[in-house]
Amino acid sequence: MKNKIINIALLTVCFLIPVLPLMAQPTPPPSAPVDGGLSLLIAAGAGYGVKKIREKRKKQQDSIENK
């Protein structure tokens, strides 16, 4: 009985090994442009950073003038 189970398991593995790579094929990613939105986000982030730096410098300058 034990020998029969081992034979069936080995036979099943032998039949599944060639099929497994076929099932593991990924689907191709959708072709969508990434550059347009990404460049807008980078520009917005740079503008926001410049605004924050200017506000910080103005606040420091106002605190120095008030002393």
Side-chain angles (χ1 to χ4, degrees), residues 26-32:
T27 59
S31 57

Side-chain angles (χ1 to χ4, degrees), residues 34-43:
V34 179
D35 184 44
L38 188 60
S39 60
L40 289 176
L41 286 174
I42 290 173

Side-chain angles (χ1 to χ4, degrees), residues 1 5-6 9 12 16 19 23 33 38-39 52 58 65-66:
M1 182 71 177
I5 293 174
I6 291 175
T12 304
L16 286 180
V19 176
M23 294 188 322
L38 188 60
S39 60
K52 286 295 186 180
K58 185 177 179 182
E65 289 176 358
N66 289 337

Side-chain angles (χ1 to χ4, degrees), residues 8-31:
I8 291 173
L10 287 175
L11 189 63
T12 304
V13 169
C14 287
F15 280 117
L16 286 180
I17 286 178
V19 176
L20 289 177
L22 296 175
M23 294 188 322
Q25 294 293 325
T27 59
S31 57

